Amino acid sequence: MKRHIPNSITCCNLISGCIATGLAFGNSIEMALLFIIIGAVFDFFDGMVARLLNVSSPIGKELDSLADVITFGLAPSTIIFSMLHVMSYPVFLEPLRDYLPYVAFIMAAFSALRLAKFNLDERQALGFIGLPTPANALFWGSLIVGVGDKLENHSWVLYFIIAGILISSWLLVSEIPMFALKFKHWGFKGNEVKYIFLITCCPLVAIFGISAFAIIVAWYVILSAIVQQSSTQK
């Protein structure tokens, strides 16, 4: 019986992603983000429970990736899709309003590719190579929920969104090493980057609210790149 518990939690992640996608198609962006976050909680606990019960299995790993494609790939892409339908367009792009929003699903495809690579990449035991899909999903969800209504009336934002989709897609499958918040010990030495990241996140949340999570993900990518550059120069 216990071997089914982690997979049941993973299925709850998948169901959360399906609900988030349906809500995003209905333009209920805040609720869609909430269910992405709920899915992330299930995603965190399924692996932990599998290790605690010592019931990890290949099918659990594959099921986890399938759930993540929905919750952290399709759902945030649908949030962007819905925003692209209602925002202002430059006059010369107005005829493409019914078609351009589908560009958002490029990110879903790259999320699936990133998860497939993750399953095969043995380098990612203690860190990540490329942007994790939950971080990417949280970036877009919090950005659009936090400031989307302030940006919808500015036609120049369309260029930012399209560029952002392409940059996110590249980051998902890039070879940039990114640190994971996994601690072998709680001492500061050896965990400097992780503690600096966590300490700087607190005031951002206090100041910017829900939008802070988009800033935090951007800061995470920048800090990872700085660490990589520093290690390369040594």
Side-chain angles (χ1 to χ4, degrees), residues 49-171:
V49 170
R51 288 187 293 272
L52 287 174
L53 298 178
N54 195 28
V55 290
S56 298
S57 65
I59 192 171
K61 184 177 181 180
E62 299 302 325
L63 181 61
D64 183 68
S65 292
L66 291 171
D68 287 354
V69 169
I70 301 299
T71 305
F72 308 126
L74 181 60
S77 296
T78 308
I79 289 176
I80 303 171
F81 172 86
S82 295
M83 182 179 181
L84 288 173
H85 264 297
V86 300
M87 66 184 300
S88 295
Y89 276 54
V91 174
F92 76 97
L93 287 177
E94 191 63 40
L96 298 177
R97 176 178 291 277
D98 291 336
Y99 309 102
L100 204 55
Y102 291 96
V103 172
F105 295 109
I106 292 174
M107 197 173 72
F110 274 86
S111 296
L113 181 58
R114 188 264 176 312
L115 289 161
K117 286 181 62 179
F118 180 82
N119 282 351
L120 300 174
D121 195 339
E122 297 179 356
R123 298 173 297 168
Q124 302 192 53
L126 297 175
F128 300 107
I129 306 295
L131 182 64
T133 53
N136 184 59
L138 188 59
F139 172 84
W140 283 104
S142 61
L143 178 69
I144 293 175
V145 168
V147 297
D149 58 338
K150 299 179 180 66
L151 300 176
E152 286 177 3
N153 297 323
H154 301 282
S155 59
W156 60 267
V157 175
L158 177 66
Y159 304 117
F160 168 80
I161 298 296
I162 299 298
I165 292 168
L166 298 178
I167 292 170
S168 288
S169 297
W170 172 74
L171 285 172

Side-chain angles (χ1 to χ4, degrees), residues 19-20 22-34 79 82 145:
I19 295 172
L23 289 166
F25 273 125
N27 212 31
S28 298
I29 305 302
E30 293 85 357
M31 290 300 296
L33 175 58
L34 174 61
I79 289 176
S82 295
V145 168

